[in-house]
Amino acid sequence: DGVIVVSEELHRLAYNQVFKEFDTGVEWSKDYYGVLMNSVGGGKPKMRFHFTENGWPSSKLGPSPQTKEEQEALIDALQERKTVIFQENVQAGKADPRPGIVELIDKALDRPDLKTAICSAATKSAVTEVLNATLGPERVARFDLLLLGDDVSKKKPDPLIYTTAAERLGVSPADCAVVEDSKIGLDAAVGASMRCFITYMPSTEDQDFSLAEQAVEDATRLDLDTIFPP
C-alpha cells in the first residue's frame, strides 16, 4: 500500500499505539521503523524480527512468552488491534494517495490490452480499507487481481507474490511491470523476472535501485505508454 498511499507513518504510529495499549514498553522510532520497512516484509514478520533480536516483551497478556505458540499468540493479538487502529486512522481521512498514482492507475485500467493487479504483504482488511478510502471501491473493483495479506505464504523480498500474480493473470513474468517503493519490493520483482519501476519514499531513496528500470520520486514521473507501448 506504500506505493499507492502515504502510509508509512500511519503504520508506525499504529504499532506504537498498540505497543502502549498492551504495556509492552516497545516503541519504534522513525529511523528504526525505516530500517524495518526496508529489511522485513509484512507486519507480523517485523514484530517477530524485532522481538527475536531485542527480546520478547511482557504485556497485558502475561509475562514474556517463551514457547512458539505463546509468541505467535502475542503477535496475532498485537497485529489484530494494530489493524483496527490503522483502519480508524484511514477512516478519519489521514491516508492520502501518493502524487500521480491515481492517474497512472486510471490509465492502466482504461487500457484494454493490459491486466492490473495489486500485490501487498499488509493485512488484507487494512489494505482493503486503505484502497477503498483512497481509490474508491469502484476503481478497486476494476483491478483484475488483488493479492493481499495471507494470500501467499512468503513475504517480499521473496518473489512468490509476483509469480503467483502472473500465474493467476495468465501472463508471462517477462510481460509484467511492477511499481514498487523499496529495495525489498525491487528484489521480489526482479526475483520473479519482472521489470520494476521504483517510486521511492524519503526512507528508501538512498537504497540501491540499480536493477530497476527507473527510480523516481513519484508516479508523476512514470509514463504508462513508455512502460507498455500501445
Side-chain angles (χ1 to χ4, degrees):
D1 56 327
V3 173
I4 297 174
V5 184
V6 183
S7 62
E8 183 174 326
E9 182 65 0
L10 288 181
H11 282 292
R12 186 185 74 89
L13 293 174
Y15 277 116
N16 283 343
Q17 183 174 334
V18 75
F19 291 154
K20 184 175 181 179
E21 288 182 4
F22 275 66
D23 299 322
T24 64
V26 176
E27 183 174 1
W28 287 346
S29 68
K30 285 187 178 182
D31 288 345
Y32 179 69
Y33 189 67
V35 172
L36 285 178
M37 282 287 297
N38 301 321
S39 56
V40 185
K44 290 183 180 180
K46 284 181 176 64
M47 287 190 286
R48 193 175 297 114
F49 172 83
H50 174 82
F51 296 151
T52 300
E53 292 293 314
N54 299 278
W56 288 82
S58 60
S59 71
K60 70 178 185 179
L61 299 182
S64 172
Q66 300 302 308
T67 68
K68 184 176 181 180
E69 290 74 16
E70 291 172 343
Q71 292 169 353
E72 291 305 310
L74 174 60
I75 286 179
D76 287 346
L78 290 170
Q79 185 66 38
E80 181 178 2
R81 174 58 183 151
K82 178 264 176 182
T83 297
V84 172
I85 295 169
F86 181 78
Q87 290 174 332
E88 289 173 349
N89 288 335
V90 171
Q91 292 167 356
K94 296 180 180 180
D96 297 315
R98 294 186 63 190
I101 193 63
V102 174
E103 292 79 6
L104 183 68
I105 287 172
D106 283 343
K107 289 179 181 178
L109 292 174
D110 287 341
R111 285 272 299 269
D113 58 325
L114 298 182
K115 293 184 178 181
T116 55
I118 293 177
C119 302
S120 174
T123 305
K124 183 176 294 188
S125 57
V127 177
T128 302
E129 192 75 43
V130 169
L131 294 177
N132 286 335
T134 56
L135 300 181
E138 296 83 4
R139 187 182 279 110
V140 173
R142 294 180 63 193
F143 279 84
D144 296 289
L145 176 67
L146 301 181
L147 279 181
L148 309 174
D150 296 326
D151 286 338
V152 293
S153 60
K154 298 179 181 178
K155 306 293 187 183
K156 304 172 188 177
D158 191 283
L160 180 60
I161 195 166
Y162 287 129
T163 57
T164 301
E167 291 172 0
R168 293 191 183 180
L169 291 172
V171 297
S172 167
D175 294 328
C176 296
V178 175
V179 179
E180 272 288 357
D181 61 355
S182 69
K183 181 69 161 52
I184 283 182
L186 171 63
D187 289 345
V190 171
S193 301
M194 298 179 180
R195 294 179 296 148
C196 186
F197 296 79
I198 295 291
T199 56
Y200 52 77
M201 301 180 294
S203 64
T204 65
E205 62 180 324
D206 294 328
Q207 293 182 349
D208 179 9
F209 296 130
S210 57
L211 294 180
E213 301 293 319
Q214 191 177 359
V216 294
E217 184 177 4
D218 56 52
T220 63
R221 301 172 183 272
L222 295 180
D223 179 58
L224 183 65
D225 290 343
T226 299
I227 298 172
F228 287 112

